[in-house]
Amino acid sequence: MVRVHRDGDSDEAAREAAVEAAADVQPPPAGADGRAASSAAPERDGETASATVSADADGHTVAAEESALAAGAGEEQDAAAREGDAAREEGETATIARHELEQLRRERDEYLDLARRKQAEFENFRRRVARAEADAGVRAKIDLIRDLLPQVDNLERALQVAPEGDPLADGVRMILRGLLNTLEQHGVESFDPSGEPFDPTVHDALSTREVEGVEPGTVVEVVEKGYRLGERIVRPARVVVSG
């Protein structure tokens, strides 16, 4: 019971009344409500802790995402830098290769030009050698023919003075015919310019003679026939020309 103190009581009575009033106050039962009250605080603490952990996790997630984005951006920059370096290297390599190719082409053209000149020089040399060999062969043949022609002339003179029916003349005639056939087989031809205009390139004038009815400068007599080998004069015809 709570005592109600009246006005005028002493201070001691007031203190006693307060003590009694405090004794009359009953503590709450230690039942389910107590447990609920006692567990409510931990739940609130757990929720607060969960919220804190969630906030921390969200913060870590955001930080991780930002770090990943930064790392990705860095990798992209590195990749772009590598691509740029690779492109520059490729460009430099292409430039060097182009210069080297141009140099190789110039060298190729120089070598081809040199090869063509050397080939032309060799062809000219080969033709000169072949011509010299041919000329040497022709000169040797001409020298031999020139040595034989006086013998041909002697045989012809012998036949001119030989009497008719002389058996010796027949033998000389056979020898002369065989010798002339041999010369013809080697391309030697004789020519008789009687009645032709005098040509100093193929005729050798021994003398001049006045002949009526013949124009001056005409061959009136052939002392020795001329001989040629192809286009070359082996021996000019020795003639007498009208004056």
Side-chain angles (χ1 to χ4, degrees), residues 35 39 55-56 61 70 86 93 120 131 146 196 208 236:
R35 288 192 300 270
S39 63
D56 292 339
T61 302
T93 303
R131 187 165 52 249
R146 284 174 178 167
E196 297 179 0
T208 59

Side-chain angles (χ1 to χ4, degrees), residues 161-179:
V161 298
E164 292 291 338
D166 188 351
L168 183 60
D170 293 337
V172 172
R173 191 174 292 108
M174 290 178 59
I175 294 172
L176 177 60
R177 187 181 302 112
L179 185 56

Side-chain angles (χ1 to χ4, degrees), residues 40-169:
E43 288 180 358
R44 286 192 298 271
D45 294 339
E47 291 176 357
T48 302
S50 298
T52 302
V53 172
S54 177
D56 292 339
D58 292 339
H60 289 303
T61 302
V62 172
E65 291 178 353
E66 291 178 352
S67 177
L69 291 175
E75 291 178 356
E76 291 179 356
Q77 292 177 355
D78 293 340
R82 287 193 297 271
E83 290 178 357
D85 293 339
R88 283 193 297 274
E89 290 179 358
E90 289 179 358
E92 293 175 356
T93 303
T95 302
I96 294 172
R98 185 167 57 254
H99 291 328
E100 291 179 351
L101 181 60
E102 292 176 355
Q103 179 66 25
L104 290 174
R105 285 176 177 171
R106 286 193 296 270
E107 292 179 357
R108 178 204 61 186
D109 294 339
E110 291 176 359
Y111 288 137
L112 286 175
D113 184 62
L114 178 61
R116 292 191 186 99
R117 290 200 303 270
K118 294 300 181 182
Q119 184 177 6
E121 291 176 0
F122 177 75
E123 289 296 328
N124 293 333
F125 171 76
R126 187 178 61 82
R127 284 194 291 268
R128 286 196 302 270
V129 170
R131 187 165 52 249
E133 291 178 352
D135 291 343
V138 171
R139 284 195 300 270
K141 185 182 291 187
I142 289 174
D143 291 340
L144 177 60
I145 294 169
R146 284 174 178 167
D147 292 338
L148 292 175
L149 289 180
Q151 310 308 321
V152 173
D153 295 335
N154 292 332
L155 293 175
E156 289 178 345
R157 292 190 187 98
L159 291 176
Q160 289 175 359
V161 298
E164 292 291 338
D166 188 351
L168 183 60

